[in-house]
Amino acid sequence: MTPRQAVDVRAHRWLMIVGALLTAGALLLLSLLPDPPAEAVAMTAWVERGHPLLMWSNELLFFAVICWGAGARGLVSAGLAGPSARIDVGRTALTVALVALVVVLLAVGRLVYPVFEIDLSAEVVALLVSSTFGALHVAFLGFAVAAVTLGWSTRAALAGRAVGIVAAAVFVVGSFPWLTPNWWNSVVPVLTAAWGVFLACVTRTE
C-alpha cells in the first residue's frame, strides 16, 4: 500500500466512523419522541410537539448518510482482493439500509419543512409518519444482513463474526420500534454506532 493509499484508507475509516455516530445521534433523537397517536387527526399535533427532535434528526441524518456511504464504499473497495459473494451481499445490504435512511430523511424533512407553504392533511401526515417508521424497519434489516456478512470478512476473525451476529440480532429486534419499549429504542442507536465504529476499525484493507 502506497502512502497515498494509506491516507485514503484512514480518511474512509474516519468518514465511516463519523457517519455511524451521526446516524446514532439522528436515530436517538427519533427514539425520544413519544409514541405516535393511532388516530390520524391527532398526528399533526404530535408532529408539532416533536418538531425540534424531528428537525435535528433530519439535519444529522443528511450528513450521516453521506459520510457513512462514502466511508463504507471506500473501505470495502480497498479490501477486495477478488470476487466475494459474501462481501457483495454485505455491501448491497448496507446500501439498502442507507437508501432506507434517505427515505426517512425525505419523509421527516417534509414533516418539518414547508414546501411552497403547502398544508398537509392529517391523512398525509399520518402516511409520512408511518412511512418514516417503515423505512427505519427496512434500514435496520439491511444493517442486520450487513452485520453478519461483513463481520465475517474482517481482520477480527472470530471476534468480528461474533460481534456481527450479536449486532444483527439487535438490529432485527430494533427494526420494530412500534413494538419495543422506548428505552430499548434509545439503546439500539448507541449499539448501531458501536457496531459502525467497530466495523470501520476492523474492515480488512489491502
Side-chain angles (χ1 to χ4, degrees), residues 163-198:
V163 169
I165 292 172
V166 172
V170 170
F171 295 149
V172 170
V173 177
S175 69
F176 299 91
W178 55 90
L179 298 178
T180 50
N182 287 338
W183 67 266
W184 172 255
N185 294 336
S186 296
V187 169
V188 172
V190 177
L191 297 179
T192 301
W195 170 74
V197 172
F198 174 81

Side-chain angles (χ1 to χ4, degrees), residues 34-152:
D35 293 334
E39 301 80 13
V41 293
M43 200 69 73
T44 301
W46 178 83
V47 171
E48 291 177 353
R49 288 197 302 272
H51 188 277
L53 293 174
L54 290 167
M55 182 186 68
W56 282 108
S57 174
N58 189 255
E59 296 295 334
L60 291 177
L61 204 53
F62 173 78
F63 296 102
V65 171
I66 292 176
C67 291
W68 201 336
R73 182 181 183 280
L75 279 183
V76 173
S77 297
L80 289 178
S84 171
R86 185 168 54 241
I87 291 177
D88 286 343
V89 170
R91 183 162 52 181
T92 302
L94 187 57
T95 300
V96 169
L98 295 178
V99 170
L101 291 181
V102 171
V103 176
V104 175
L105 176 67
L106 293 172
V108 173
R110 186 59 190 91
L111 286 173
V112 298
Y113 296 115
V115 177
F116 294 112
E117 302 299 330
I118 299 174
D119 291 329
L120 301 178
S121 65
E123 289 75 16
V124 172
V125 172
L127 176 62
L128 289 172
V129 171
S130 59
S131 297
T132 296
F133 287 97
L136 281 177
H137 174 74
V138 174
F140 278 121
L141 292 181
F143 282 140
V145 175
V148 173
T149 52
L150 296 180
W152 209 263

